[in-house]
Amino acid sequence: MTLNVTLNDFDFVLFGGSGDLAMRKLLPALFSRELAGNFPDSARIICVGRNDWTQEDFFREIDKNAKIHINKNAPAAAPWKVFLNRIIYVRLDADNPASYQALITAVRSDEAITRVYYLATPPGLFSKICNNLAESGLVNKNSRVVLEKPLGRDLASAKKINAEVGRVFSESQIFRIDHYLGKETVQNLLALRFGNVLFEPLWRREWISDVQITIAEDLGVGNRMGYYDTSGALRDMLQNHLLQLLCIVAMEPPTSIAPDAVRDAKLQVLRSLRRFTPTALAQDVIRGQYRAGYIEGVAVPGYRDEAGADPHSRTESFVALKTEIDTWRWAGVPFYLRTGKRMPDRLAEIVVRFKPIPHSIFTQASSSFQPNCLVIRLQPDEGLTLHLMAKTPGDSMRLKPVELEMDFLETFRAPRMEAYERLLLDVLRGQLTLFMRGDELEAAWDWVEPILHHWEHNESDPIPYTAGTWGPPAASALIGRDGLQWREEVLPQS
Ligand code: BG6
């Protein structure tokens, strides 16, 4: 996508500048925006790390670890050189106030220049970094801070982060990243719902039977066991990415696309989610953990056999749950959320199923009619499929399900923009709509916390599922109890 973006001159300071996220996602995303010509000539990227490296050492790291993640095959020499010319490596010990002198020297003092502090660090450092920045005189009215997940591990820790960062930065300077909000399809969902009149009248309990949101990954935990085993699927994916998708699907029409209009609407959804009772916790939440299996014919180890794993770990790599939104619009409509690692495919989709037609005028058995269904795909490709009934050609009045398909890339024939590219641009231009507000973050933790407590006090293990399957059978039973099926269960087998 070619965006006509005019950015103010900036110093982009990346804490965790030599870390995995910087190399895999952030530097490649910044380079893509370089290629698109979005950056003012004098803009700088200041990468902060603990290693005692020279500028050349750091360039070697980028060459080794970031270049391979750049989308466009080998980056052309000229823009790559321009990009490297912007980068300054600064060695700094985030804990030590004295070492911020190096950063004072690296950033420009002109207050008109946008200054971004991107904290791609463990959350334990957020407060120290913010305080040290403030005490070193490095925070001005044109400064912003970007916080990467995990943004807490429960309500109390999320509140603590909000309070500590909030002592230094005002809410309008805080960008809490959920990279799912940067995905093209999520914004297209806003366009679909609020740029057309077709859907909004139907987008309610009278016409919608149920909504499924799935984020499935074929990958396992990989080399992130240290982090993941203390987190699990509920904290890693559901509390943030899935709930944000749910908010965009279910929110009331905001009055505008302005940050607080959208975030107020999302907050209302989070606050209307039905609280789990002890019975609902036992019945409506399923946690699973993968065992050895096959993905596309390749044998993969079980969770407890992954490198660095605790052989008795009870961390869930899968979670499925059913919830409801207690509002006039959604009362009685079940929302099923599901995410897991080592599932058969990498797939992220939202499935909105409509009710059956109220009365059939056809002689054909109405049981052969499929209710309309809208599938909004985020991954692997980005698009929409609307399932309709249509007459088959010929002299008899026979109806069959057909699919109206739209592929966003094909339709617009525009280059794809990675979620981080979009979000980094939004940070640089001060656009907060696609970032979580502090009260949203707390409302999301508040809602998942009973599940966390329930699991903590429950001695049972997560239910095992074989790698390469769609999770434990209990997840099918969860939705089956309501006479429904997950979408892949009703698809014809290829
Ligand atoms: C991250 C999680 O937030 O999202 C990872 O920490 C997960 O565990 C990743 O793999 C999935 O993101 P995407 O964009 O690849 O679907």
Side-chain angles (χ1 to χ4, degrees):
M1 185 191 305
T2 313
L3 275 180
N4 289 326
V5 180
T6 320
L7 293 175
N8 189 27
D9 194 6
F10 64 82
D11 282 343
F12 183 93
V13 183
L14 176 51
F15 281 83
S18 51
D20 181 59
L21 185 74
M23 294 294 163
R24 261 189 321 112
K25 295 281 185 193
L26 303 177
L27 291 170
L30 287 167
F31 178 64
S32 288
R33 291 300 96 204
E34 176 80 73
L35 273 184
N38 291 145
F39 295 164
D41 289 345
S42 49
R44 294 179 181 179
I45 299 169
I46 300 165
C47 293
V48 173
R50 292 179 74 106
N51 294 309
D52 189 8
W53 283 336
T54 62
Q55 184 82 1
E56 280 60 43
D57 292 336
F58 186 62
F59 285 163
R60 268 193 293 280
E61 284 298 305
I62 297 188
D63 240 30
K64 195 167 79 195
N65 298 325
K67 233 173 168 177
I68 46 170
H69 297 293
I70 288 171
N71 253 343
K72 348 267 177 273
N73 308 322
W80 184 245
K81 196 156 165 244
V82 174
F83 183 61
L84 291 188
N85 271 338
R86 297 187 188 285
I87 297 182
I88 301 170
Y89 178 72
V90 169
R91 183 191 173 199
L92 183 150
D93 173 4
D95 265 342
N96 176 4
S99 79
Y100 283 67
Q101 186 54 46
L103 194 53
I104 299 178
T105 315
V107 295
R108 289 169 289 174
S109 56
D110 182 351
E111 292 222 342
I113 295 173
T114 305
R115 205 183 276 170
V116 173
Y117 297 110
Y118 196 117
L119 310 193
T121 63
L125 286 175
F126 290 171
S127 160
K128 281 183 195 141
I129 295 176
C130 290
N131 287 335
N132 286 335
L133 286 172
E135 274 161 30
S136 312
L138 282 162
V139 180
N140 61 32
K141 63 172 179 7
N142 226 347
S143 304
R144 294 160 200 170
V145 67
V146 187
L147 305 178
E148 259 297 336
K149 65 181 274 251
L151 293 172
R153 49 179 291 105
D154 53 20
L155 179 58
S157 52
K159 278 187 167 167
K160 188 158 175 275
I161 292 173
N162 278 345
E164 288 173 347
V165 175
R167 261 180 234 130
V168 175
F169 293 94
S170 66
E171 186 62 38
S172 64
Q173 294 175 298
I174 306 176
F175 291 70
R176 295 176 190 80
I177 284 239
D178 184 311
H179 78 278
Y180 263 72
L181 291 180
K183 292 191 190 259
E184 198 64 28
T185 305
V186 172
Q187 292 147 65
N188 247 311
L189 181 54
L190 290 172
L192 180 87
R193 286 197 59 198
F194 307 121
N196 300 288
V197 291
L198 276 187
F199 294 101
E200 193 46 27
L202 304 180
W203 212 255
R204 56 193 66 247
R205 63 190 301 277
E206 287 79 2
W207 300 106
I208 290 182
S209 114
D210 63 288
V211 178
Q212 297 178 12
I213 307 180
T214 297
I215 305 179
E217 297 181 273
D218 51 354
L219 293 178
V221 174
N223 56 10
R224 295 169 72 225
M225 189 53 95
Y227 151 73
Y228 194 88
D229 206 46
T230 60
S231 168
L234 186 73
R235 289 188 172 96
D236 186 49
M237 299 292 288
L238 196 134
Q239 180 274 341
N240 36 64
H241 307 324
L242 278 150
L243 284 188
Q244 286 296 318
L245 295 182
L246 170 72
C247 285
I248 304 276
V249 173
M251 70 183 180
E252 292 300 319
T255 49
S256 75
I257 196 78
D260 282 338
V262 172
R263 299 185 308 173
D264 285 346
K266 281 161 53 192
L267 182 64
Q268 192 196 347
V269 175
L270 291 167
R271 290 195 173 150
S272 314
L273 284 172
R274 181 165 302 171
R275 308 281 306 179
F276 284 100
T277 59
T279 315
L281 283 169
Q283 282 179 1
D284 295 343
V285 187
I286 308 293
R287 61 172 166 164
Q289 189 188 62
Y290 63 83
R291 295 286 180 264
Y294 289 84
I295 308 253
E296 297 206 340
V298 178
V300 295
Y303 182 90
R304 292 173 173 177
D305 308 316
E306 296 275 14
D310 166 2
H312 306 292
S313 170
R314 290 172 48 212
T315 300
E316 78 289 356
S317 58
F318 173 96
V319 58
L321 60 80
K322 171 186 169 183
T323 185
E324 286 187 43
I325 301 174
D326 289 327
T327 60
W328 273 45
R329 183 187 286 266
W330 292 117
V333 178
F335 283 74
Y336 303 96
L337 311 184
R338 173 177 67 152
T339 185
K341 295 205 183 278
R342 286 289 189 226
M343 299 182 76
D345 280 317
R346 176 168 185 258
L347 171 140
E349 66 181 21
I350 299 163
V351 180
V352 180
R353 281 200 293 217
F354 292 87
K355 294 202 164 157
I357 51 168
H359 163 71
S360 174
I361 61 167
F362 307 103
T363 48
Q364 179 182 345
S366 59
S367 58
S368 64
F369 282 41
Q370 274 183 15
N372 299 130
C373 173
L374 177 66
V375 180
I376 303 150
R377 286 188 310 280
L378 292 85
Q379 276 159 194
D381 57 331
E382 297 169 326
L384 299 175
T385 310
L386 182 59
H387 296 257
L388 302 169
M389 294 299 291
K391 180 191 166 297
T392 51
D395 61 353
S396 71
M397 192 66 196
R398 274 210 75 73
L399 276 67
K400 276 186 93 170
V402 289
E403 295 175 4
L404 264 185
E405 181 76 43
M406 175 164 133
D407 179 314
F408 296 142
L409 279 190
E410 276 281 300
T411 306
F412 294 105
R413 296 189 184 280
R416 202 169 162 277
M417 199 169 175
E418 288 289 335
Y420 272 106
E421 291 179 50
R422 142 80 51 191
L423 295 175
L424 289 175
L425 273 188
D426 280 357
V427 170
L428 289 168
R429 56 188 162 187
Q431 174 53 262
L432 274 158
T433 301
L434 297 177
F435 297 83
M436 279 180 294
R437 210 168 49 194
D439 48 7
E440 270 183 82
L441 175 73
E442 291 179 15
W445 277 118
D446 189 34
W447 184 72
V448 297
E449 211 165 55
I451 309 177
L452 293 170
H453 287 162
H454 176 66
W455 288 349
E456 261 160 38
H457 297 116
N458 179 332
E459 290 298 300
S460 64
D461 277 0
I463 307 172
Y465 63 97
T466 307
T469 65
W470 289 96
S476 300
L478 167 77
I479 189 166
R481 237 178 29 220
D482 298 334
L484 300 167
Q485 288 173 299
W486 295 104
R487 199 171 91 86
E488 77 280 349
E489 295 172 342
V490 289
L491 287 179
Q493 298 301 309
S494 52

